[in-house]
Coordinates of all heavy atoms in Angstrom, one line a residue:
Chain B
Q79 N 232.9 -60.7 81.8 CA 234.1 -60.0 82.2 C 234.5 -59.1 81.0 O 235.0 -58.0 81.2 CB 235.2 -61.0 82.4 CG 236.4 -60.5 83.1 CD 237.4 -61.6 83.3 OE1 237.0 -62.8 83.5 NE2 238.7 -61.3 83.3
F80 N 234.2 -59.6 79.8 CA 234.4 -58.8 78.6 C 233.1 -58.5 77.9 O 232.4 -59.4 77.5 CB 235.3 -59.5 77.6 CG 236.7 -59.9 78.2 CD1 236.9 -61.2 78.7 CD2 237.7 -59.0 78.2 CE1 238.1 -61.5 79.3 CE2 239.0 -59.3 78.8 CZ 239.1 -60.6 79.3
V81 N 232.8 -57.2 77.8 CA 231.6 -56.8 77.1 C 232.0 -56.3 75.7 O 232.8 -55.4 75.5 CB 230.9 -55.7 77.8 CG1 229.6 -55.3 77.0 CG2 230.5 -56.1 79.2
I82 N 231.6 -57.1 74.7 CA 231.9 -56.7 73.3 C 230.7 -56.0 72.7 O 229.6 -56.5 72.7 CB 232.2 -58.0 72.5 CG1 233.4 -58.7 73.1 CG2 232.4 -57.6 71.0 CD1 233.7 -60.0 72.4
R83 N 231.0 -54.7 72.3 CA 229.9 -53.9 71.7 C 230.3 -53.6 70.3 O 231.2 -52.8 70.0 CB 229.8 -52.6 72.5 CG 229.3 -52.7 73.9 CD 229.2 -51.4 74.6 NE 228.5 -51.5 75.9 CZ 229.2 -51.6 77.1 NH1 230.5 -51.6 77.1 NH2 228.5 -51.8 78.2
L84 N 229.5 -54.2 69.4 CA 229.7 -54.0 67.9 C 228.9 -52.8 67.5 O 227.7 -52.7 67.7 CB 229.4 -55.3 67.2 CG 229.5 -55.2 65.7 CD1 231.0 -55.0 65.2 CD2 229.0 -56.6 65.1
C85 N 229.6 -51.9 66.7 CA 228.9 -50.7 66.2 C 227.9 -51.1 65.2 O 228.2 -51.8 64.2 CB 229.9 -49.7 65.7 SG 229.1 -48.2 65.1
G86 N 226.7 -50.6 65.3 CA 225.6 -51.0 64.4 C 225.3 -49.9 63.4 O 224.4 -50.0 62.6
T87 N 226.0 -48.8 63.4 CA 225.6 -47.6 62.6 C 225.9 -47.9 61.1 O 226.7 -48.7 60.7 CB 226.3 -46.4 63.1 OG1 225.9 -46.2 64.5 CG2 225.9 -45.1 62.4
L88 N 225.3 -47.0 60.3 CA 225.4 -47.2 58.8 C 226.7 -47.4 58.2 O 226.9 -48.3 57.4 CB 224.7 -45.9 58.2 CG 224.4 -46.1 56.7 CD1 223.2 -47.0 56.5 CD2 224.0 -44.7 56.1
S89 N 227.7 -46.6 58.6 CA 229.0 -46.7 58.0 C 229.7 -48.1 58.3 O 230.3 -48.7 57.5 CB 230.0 -45.6 58.5 OG 229.4 -44.3 58.1
C90 N 229.5 -48.5 59.6 CA 230.0 -49.8 59.9 C 229.2 -50.9 59.2 O 229.7 -52.0 58.9 CB 230.0 -50.0 61.4 SG 231.3 -49.1 62.3
D91 N 227.9 -50.6 59.0 CA 227.1 -51.6 58.3 C 227.6 -51.7 56.8 O 227.8 -52.8 56.3 CB 225.7 -51.0 58.3 CG 224.7 -52.0 57.6 OD1 224.7 -53.2 58.0 OD2 223.9 -51.6 56.7
F92 N 227.9 -50.6 56.2 CA 228.4 -50.6 54.8 C 229.8 -51.3 54.8 O 230.1 -52.0 53.8 CB 228.6 -49.2 54.3 CG 227.4 -48.5 53.9 CD1 227.4 -47.1 53.4 CD2 226.1 -49.1 54.0 CE1 226.3 -46.5 53.1 CE2 225.0 -48.4 53.6 CZ 225.0 -47.1 53.1
A93 N 230.5 -51.2 55.8 CA 231.9 -51.8 55.9 C 231.9 -53.3 56.2 O 232.9 -53.9 56.2 CB 232.7 -51.0 56.9
G94 N 230.7 -53.8 56.5 CA 230.6 -55.3 56.7 C 230.4 -55.8 58.1 O 230.9 -56.8 58.5
K95 N 229.6 -55.0 58.9 CA 229.4 -55.4 60.3 C 228.6 -56.7 60.4 O 228.8 -57.4 61.4 CB 228.7 -54.3 61.0 CG 227.2 -54.1 60.7 CD 226.4 -53.8 61.9 CE 224.9 -53.7 61.7 NZ 224.2 -54.0 60.4
D96 N 227.8 -57.0 59.5 CA 227.0 -58.2 59.6 C 227.8 -59.5 59.6 O 227.6 -60.4 60.4 CB 225.9 -58.3 58.5 CG 224.8 -57.4 58.7 OD1 224.6 -56.9 59.9 OD2 224.0 -57.1 57.8
A97 N 228.9 -59.5 58.8 CA 229.8 -60.7 58.8 C 230.5 -60.8 60.1 O 230.7 -61.9 60.7 CB 230.8 -60.6 57.6
V98 N 230.9 -59.7 60.7 CA 231.6 -59.7 62.0 C 230.6 -60.1 63.1 O 231.0 -60.9 64.0 CB 232.1 -58.3 62.3 CG1 232.8 -58.2 63.7 CG2 233.2 -57.8 61.3
A99 N 229.4 -59.7 63.0 CA 228.3 -60.1 64.0 C 228.2 -61.6 63.9 O 228.1 -62.2 65.0 CB 227.0 -59.4 63.7
D100 N 228.1 -62.2 62.7 CA 227.9 -63.6 62.6 C 229.1 -64.4 63.2 O 229.0 -65.4 63.9 CB 227.7 -64.0 61.1 CG 226.3 -63.6 60.6 OD1 225.5 -63.3 61.5 OD2 226.2 -63.5 59.4
A101 N 230.3 -63.8 62.9 CA 231.5 -64.5 63.4 C 231.5 -64.5 64.9 O 231.9 -65.5 65.5 CB 232.8 -63.8 62.8
L102 N 231.1 -63.4 65.5 CA 231.1 -63.3 67.0 C 230.1 -64.2 67.6 O 230.3 -64.9 68.6 CB 230.8 -61.8 67.4 CG 232.0 -60.8 67.2 CD1 231.5 -59.4 67.4 CD2 233.2 -61.1 68.2
K103 N 228.9 -64.3 66.9 CA 227.8 -65.1 67.4 C 228.3 -66.6 67.4 O 228.1 -67.4 68.3 CB 226.6 -65.0 66.6 CG 225.8 -63.7 67.0 CD 224.4 -63.7 66.4 CE 224.4 -63.3 64.9 NZ 223.1 -63.0 64.3
N104 N 228.9 -67.0 66.3 CA 229.4 -68.4 66.1 C 230.5 -68.7 67.1 O 230.5 -69.7 67.8 CB 229.9 -68.6 64.7 CG 228.8 -68.7 63.7 OD1 227.6 -69.0 64.1 ND2 229.0 -68.3 62.5
E105 N 231.5 -67.8 67.2 CA 232.6 -68.0 68.1 C 232.2 -68.1 69.6 O 232.7 -68.9 70.3 CB 233.6 -66.9 67.9 CG 234.9 -67.0 68.7 CD 235.7 -68.2 68.3 OE1 235.6 -68.7 67.1 OE2 236.5 -68.7 69.1
L106 N 231.2 -67.2 70.0 CA 230.8 -67.2 71.4 C 229.7 -68.1 71.7 O 229.5 -68.5 72.8 CB 230.4 -65.7 71.8 CG 231.6 -64.7 71.6 CD1 231.0 -63.3 71.9 CD2 232.7 -64.9 72.6
G107 N 228.9 -68.5 70.7 CA 227.8 -69.4 70.9 C 226.6 -68.7 71.6 O 225.8 -69.3 72.2
V108 N 226.6 -67.4 71.5 CA 225.4 -66.6 72.0 C 225.0 -65.6 71.0 O 225.8 -65.2 70.1 CB 225.8 -65.9 73.3 CG1 226.1 -66.9 74.5 CG2 226.9 -64.9 73.2
G109 N 223.8 -65.0 71.2 CA 223.3 -63.9 70.4 C 223.6 -62.6 71.0 O 224.2 -62.5 72.1
F110 N 223.1 -61.5 70.4 CA 223.2 -60.2 70.9 C 222.4 -60.1 72.2 O 221.3 -60.7 72.3 CB 223.0 -59.1 69.9 CG 224.1 -58.9 69.0 CD1 224.4 -59.8 67.9 CD2 225.0 -57.9 69.2 CE1 225.5 -59.7 67.1 CE2 226.1 -57.7 68.3 CZ 226.4 -58.6 67.3
D111 N 222.9 -59.3 73.1 CA 222.2 -59.1 74.4 C 222.2 -60.4 75.2 O 221.3 -60.6 76.1 CB 220.8 -58.5 74.3 CG 220.8 -57.1 73.7 OD1 221.7 -56.3 74.1 OD2 219.9 -56.8 73.0
E112 N 223.2 -61.2 74.9 CA 223.3 -62.5 75.7 C 224.8 -62.6 76.2 O 225.7 -62.0 75.7 CB 223.0 -63.7 74.9 CG 221.5 -63.8 74.5 CD 221.2 -65.0 73.6 OE1 222.1 -65.8 73.3 OE2 220.0 -65.0 73.1
S113 N 224.9 -63.4 77.3 CA 226.2 -63.7 77.8 C 226.6 -65.2 77.8 O 225.7 -66.0 77.8 CB 226.3 -63.3 79.3 OG 226.0 -61.9 79.4
T114 N 227.9 -65.4 77.7 CA 228.3 -66.8 77.7 C 228.2 -67.4 79.0 O 228.3 -66.7 80.1 CB 229.8 -66.9 77.2 OG1 230.6 -66.1 78.0 CG2 229.9 -66.5 75.8
D115 N 228.0 -68.8 79.1 CA 227.8 -69.4 80.4 C 229.0 -69.3 81.3 O 228.8 -69.4 82.5 CB 227.4 -70.9 80.1 CG 226.0 -71.1 79.5 OD1 225.2 -70.2 79.7 OD2 225.8 -72.1 78.9
D116 N 230.2 -69.2 80.7 CA 231.4 -69.2 81.6 C 231.6 -67.8 82.2 O 232.5 -67.6 82.9 CB 232.6 -69.6 80.8 CG 232.8 -68.7 79.6 OD1 232.1 -67.7 79.4 OD2 233.7 -69.0 78.7
G117 N 230.6 -66.9 81.9 CA 230.7 -65.5 82.5 C 231.8 -64.7 81.9 O 232.1 -63.6 82.4
L118 N 232.4 -65.1 80.8 CA 233.5 -64.3 80.2 C 233.0 -63.2 79.3 O 233.5 -62.1 79.3 CB 234.4 -65.2 79.4 CG 235.5 -65.9 80.2 CD1 236.5 -66.6 79.3 CD2 236.3 -64.9 81.1
F119 N 231.9 -63.5 78.5 CA 231.6 -62.5 77.4 C 230.1 -62.1 77.4 O 229.2 -63.0 77.7 CB 231.9 -63.1 76.0 CG 233.3 -63.4 75.8 CD1 233.8 -64.7 76.0 CD2 234.1 -62.4 75.4 CE1 235.2 -64.9 75.7 CE2 235.5 -62.6 75.1 CZ 236.0 -63.9 75.3
T120 N 229.9 -60.9 77.1 CA 228.5 -60.4 76.8 C 228.7 -59.7 75.4 O 229.6 -59.0 75.2 CB 228.0 -59.4 77.8 OG1 227.9 -60.0 79.1 CG2 226.6 -58.9 77.4
L121 N 227.7 -60.0 74.6 CA 227.7 -59.4 73.2 C 226.5 -58.4 73.1 O 225.4 -58.8 73.4 CB 227.5 -60.6 72.2 CG 227.6 -60.2 70.7 CD1 229.0 -59.6 70.4 CD2 227.5 -61.5 69.9
E122 N 226.9 -57.2 72.7 CA 225.8 -56.2 72.5 C 226.1 -55.4 71.3 O 227.2 -55.4 70.7 CB 225.9 -55.2 73.7 CG 225.5 -55.8 75.1 CD 225.6 -54.8 76.2 OE1 225.9 -53.6 76.0 OE2 225.4 -55.2 77.4
W123 N 225.0 -54.7 70.8 CA 225.2 -53.7 69.8 C 225.5 -52.4 70.4 O 225.0 -52.1 71.5 CB 223.9 -53.5 69.0 CG 223.6 -54.7 68.1 CD1 222.5 -55.5 68.2 CD2 224.3 -55.0 66.9 NE1 222.6 -56.4 67.1 CE2 223.6 -56.1 66.3 CE3 225.4 -54.5 66.2 CZ2 224.0 -56.7 65.1 CZ3 225.8 -55.1 65.0 CH2 225.2 -56.2 64.5
A124 N 226.3 -51.6 69.8 CA 226.5 -50.2 70.3 C 225.9 -49.3 69.3 O 225.9 -49.5 68.1 CB 228.0 -49.9 70.4
S125 N 225.4 -48.1 69.7 CA 225.1 -47.0 68.8 C 226.5 -46.5 68.4 O 227.5 -46.9 69.0 CB 224.3 -46.0 69.5 OG 223.0 -46.5 69.9
C126 N 226.6 -45.7 67.4 CA 227.8 -45.3 66.8 C 229.0 -45.1 67.9 O 228.8 -44.5 68.9 CB 227.6 -43.9 66.1 SG 229.0 -43.4 65.2
V127 N 230.1 -45.8 67.6 CA 231.3 -45.6 68.5 C 232.3 -44.6 68.0 O 233.4 -44.5 68.5 CB 232.0 -47.0 68.8 CG1 231.0 -48.0 69.4 CG2 232.7 -47.6 67.6
G128 N 232.0 -43.9 66.9 CA 232.8 -42.8 66.5 C 234.1 -43.3 65.7 O 235.1 -42.6 65.7
M129 N 234.0 -44.4 65.1 CA 235.1 -44.9 64.3 C 234.6 -45.2 62.8 O 235.1 -46.1 62.2 CB 235.7 -46.2 64.9 CG 236.6 -45.9 66.1 SD 238.1 -45.1 65.6 CE 238.8 -44.8 67.2
C130 N 233.7 -44.3 62.4 CA 233.0 -44.5 61.1 C 233.9 -44.5 59.9 O 233.6 -45.1 58.9 CB 232.0 -43.4 60.9 SG 231.3 -42.8 62.5
D131 N 235.1 -43.9 60.0 CA 236.0 -43.9 58.9 C 236.8 -45.2 58.8 O 237.6 -45.4 57.8 CB 237.0 -42.7 59.0 CG 237.8 -42.7 60.3 OD1 237.2 -43.1 61.3 OD2 238.9 -42.3 60.3
Q132 N 236.7 -46.1 59.8 CA 237.5 -47.3 59.8 C 236.8 -48.5 60.3 O 237.3 -49.2 61.1 CB 238.9 -47.1 60.5 CG 238.8 -46.2 61.7 CD 240.2 -45.6 62.1 OE1 241.1 -46.4 62.1 NE2 240.2 -44.4 62.3
G133 N 235.5 -48.6 59.9 CA 234.7 -49.7 60.4 C 235.0 -51.0 59.7 O 235.8 -50.9 58.7
P134 N 234.4 -52.1 60.1 CA 233.6 -52.2 61.3 C 234.4 -52.0 62.6 O 235.5 -52.5 62.6 CB 233.0 -53.6 61.2 CG 233.3 -54.1 59.8 CD 234.5 -53.3 59.3
A135 N 233.7 -51.4 63.5 CA 234.4 -51.1 64.8 C 233.7 -51.7 65.9 O 232.5 -51.9 65.9 CB 234.5 -49.6 65.0
L136 N 234.5 -52.1 67.0 CA 233.8 -52.6 68.2 C 234.6 -52.2 69.4 O 235.8 -51.9 69.3 CB 233.6 -54.1 68.1 CG 234.9 -55.1 67.9 CD1 235.6 -55.3 69.2 CD2 234.4 -56.4 67.4
L137 N 233.9 -52.2 70.5 CA 234.6 -51.9 71.8 C 234.6 -53.2 72.6 O 233.7 -54.0 72.6 CB 233.8 -50.9 72.6 CG 233.8 -49.5 72.2 CD1 232.7 -48.7 73.0 CD2 235.1 -48.8 72.4
V138 N 235.8 -53.5 73.2 CA 235.9 -54.6 74.2 C 236.1 -53.9 75.5 O 237.2 -53.3 75.7 CB 237.0 -55.6 73.9 CG1 237.0 -56.7 75.0 CG2 236.8 -56.2 72.5
N139 N 235.1 -53.8 76.4 CA 235.2 -53.0 77.5 C 235.5 -51.5 77.1 O 234.8 -51.0 76.3 CB 236.1 -53.5 78.6 CG 235.6 -54.8 79.2 OD1 234.4 -55.2 79.0 ND2 236.5 -55.6 79.8
D140 N 236.7 -51.0 77.5 CA 237.0 -49.6 77.1 C 237.8 -49.5 75.8 O 238.1 -48.4 75.4 CB 237.8 -48.9 78.2 CG 236.9 -48.7 79.5 OD1 235.7 -48.8 79.4 OD2 237.5 -48.5 80.5
Q141 N 238.3 -50.6 75.4 CA 239.2 -50.6 74.2 C 238.5 -50.7 72.9 O 237.6 -51.5 72.7 CB 240.2 -51.7 74.4 CG 241.2 -51.6 75.5 CD 241.8 -50.2 75.6 OE1 242.4 -49.7 74.6 NE2 241.8 -49.5 76.7
V142 N 239.0 -49.9 71.9 CA 238.3 -49.9 70.6 C 239.2 -50.7 69.6 O 240.4 -50.6 69.7 CB 238.1 -48.4 70.2 CG1 239.4 -47.7 69.9 CG2 237.2 -48.3 69.0
H143 N 238.5 -51.4 68.8 CA 239.1 -52.1 67.7 C 238.5 -51.7 66.4 O 237.3 -51.5 66.3 CB 239.0 -53.6 67.8 CG 239.6 -54.2 69.1 ND1 240.8 -54.8 69.1 CD2 239.1 -54.2 70.3 CE1 241.1 -55.1 70.3 NE2 240.1 -54.8 71.1
T144 N 239.3 -51.4 65.3 CA 238.8 -50.9 64.1 C 239.1 -51.9 62.9 O 240.0 -52.7 63.1 CB 239.3 -49.5 63.8 OG1 240.7 -49.6 63.6 CG2 238.9 -48.6 64.9
R145 N 238.4 -51.7 61.8 CA 238.6 -52.5 60.6 C 238.6 -54.0 61.0 O 239.4 -54.8 60.5 CB 239.9 -52.2 59.9 CG 240.0 -50.7 59.4 CD 241.0 -50.5 58.4 NE 240.9 -49.2 57.8 CZ 241.6 -48.1 58.3 NH1 242.4 -48.2 59.3 NH2 241.4 -46.9 57.7
V146 N 237.6 -54.3 61.8 CA 237.5 -55.7 62.3 C 237.0 -56.6 61.1 O 236.0 -56.2 60.4 CB 236.6 -55.8 63.5 CG1 236.5 -57.2 64.0 CG2 237.1 -54.9 64.6
T147 N 237.5 -57.7 61.0 CA 237.0 -58.7 60.0 C 236.6 -59.9 60.8 O 236.9 -60.0 62.0 CB 238.2 -59.2 59.1 OG1 239.2 -59.8 59.9 CG2 238.8 -58.0 58.3
P148 N 235.9 -60.9 60.2 CA 235.5 -62.1 60.9 C 236.7 -62.7 61.6 O 236.7 -63.2 62.7 CB 234.8 -62.9 59.9 CG 234.2 -61.9 58.9 CD 235.2 -60.8 58.9

Side-chain angles (χ1 to χ4, degrees):
Chain B
Q79 193 179 330
F80 301 97
V81 182
I82 299 178
R83 295 183 171 93
L84 178 61
C85 183
T87 304
L88 194 69
S89 301
C90 284
D91 184 50
F92 284 179
K95 71 140 183 10
D96 285 342
V98 176
D100 288 342
L102 286 169
K103 284 192 283 190
N104 288 333
E105 183 64 26
L106 298 172
V108 295
F110 281 79
D111 293 325
E112 291 177 6
S113 299
T114 55
D115 288 340
D116 58 9
L118 275 186
F119 296 97
T120 298
L121 187 56
E122 292 179 4
W123 287 112
S125 296
C126 188
V127 303
M129 282 292 173
C130 327
D131 56 327
Q132 37 199 313
L136 59 79
L137 289 168
V138 179
N139 297 340
D140 293 342
Q141 293 308 311
V142 67
H143 298 263
T144 64
R145 297 197 174 93
V146 180
T147 62

